[in-house]
């Protein structure tokens, strides 16, 4: 049985929860209190951060690495495209996701420049999604899952209006039609 060291409010954990749900992988959750982390979590991950997964005593941190591990260990349903170019593009998007999340955190911290910087990132994402329906390439996959936790939290926790970004809003509604992502919507609603 796989164990996920998890925190409901953590968007990085959300990535892993969504992949686990998409693939129908059974797992147990150990909820970590981010305001009062147990010291033993440093034995699982030297940074003390979640998510971490554990299987038979083998531990793996880092959401992007965990997503790819789950994809390789449980290839069905596929969340990386068959075409190497699509796979590379999805990895590039995930690799550069911090360009998107840094402004999100600036906005969340209430920095004066946060709103403008995050709006720029939303515009970029919207323009991309206007050209192709998925961040992962020809089909829904890991890159979409990598971004959606922050988009959901921006909309539902920070009150960001997605109206000015129609392609992004459409992408989000397609994602929310998937039970794995809808479940994450409920998690965010309960935060
Ligand atoms: N690069 C890590 C980031 C994980 C991360 O920052 N998790 C946050 C919760 S959302 C955390 O554990 N924060 C505790 C801390 O920074 O001390 C990943 O992708 O898994």
């Amino acid at each position: 049985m796989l164990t996920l060291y998890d925190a409901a409010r953590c968007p990085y954990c959300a990535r892993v929860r969504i992949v686990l749900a998409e693939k129908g992988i059974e797992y147990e959750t150990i909820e970590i209190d981010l305001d009062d982390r147990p010291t033993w979590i440093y034995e699982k991950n030297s940074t003390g951060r979640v998510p971490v997964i554990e299987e038979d005593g083998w531990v793996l941190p880092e959401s992007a690495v965990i997503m790819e591990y789950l994809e390789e260990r449980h290839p069905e349903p596929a969340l990386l495209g068959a075409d190497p170019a699509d796979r590379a593009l999805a990895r590039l998007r995930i690799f550069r996701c911090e360009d998107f999340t840094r402004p999100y955190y600036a906005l969340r911290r209430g920095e004066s420049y946060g709103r403008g910087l995050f709006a720029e990132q939303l515009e970029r994402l919207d323009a991309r999604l206007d050209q192709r329906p998925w961040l992962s390439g020809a089909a829904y996959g890991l890159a979409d899952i990598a971004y959606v936790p922050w988009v959901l939290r921006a909309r539902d926790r920070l009150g960001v209006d997605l109206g000015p970004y129609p392609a992004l809003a459409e992408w989000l509604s397609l994602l929310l039609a998937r039970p794995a992502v809808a479940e994450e919507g409920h998690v965010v609603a309960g935060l």
Side-chain angles (χ1 to χ4, degrees), residues 15-104:
R15 288 172 160 183
V16 176
R17 291 192 292 264
I18 294 171
V19 173
L20 288 166
E22 288 289 3
K23 291 184 177 285
I25 300 168
E26 248 189 271
Y27 67 103
E28 60 173 20
T29 295
I30 297 185
E31 182 75 16
I32 301 296
D33 179 352
L34 293 175
D35 298 322
D36 184 18
R37 267 169 303 164
T39 49
W40 53 257
I41 194 72
Y42 287 90
E43 287 161 30
K44 312 275 181 206
N45 182 6
S46 57
T47 67
R49 294 181 172 184
V50 289
V52 176
I53 60 166
E54 182 164 4
E55 267 182 318
D56 300 326
W58 178 77
V59 291
L60 186 67
E62 289 298 337
S63 59
V65 180
I66 296 170
M67 287 196 299
E68 286 225 26
Y69 165 74
L70 293 173
E71 175 66 10
E72 291 189 348
R73 179 65 83 205
H74 304 269
E76 296 298 328
L79 293 171
L80 272 176
D83 175 5
D86 273 352
R87 297 166 84 88
L89 188 69
R91 290 184 173 117
L92 177 66
R93 298 250 187 279
I94 297 168
F95 190 72
R96 295 209 170 146
C97 189
E98 275 191 15
D99 293 348
F100 184 74
T101 60
R102 246 184 272 114
Y104 166 91

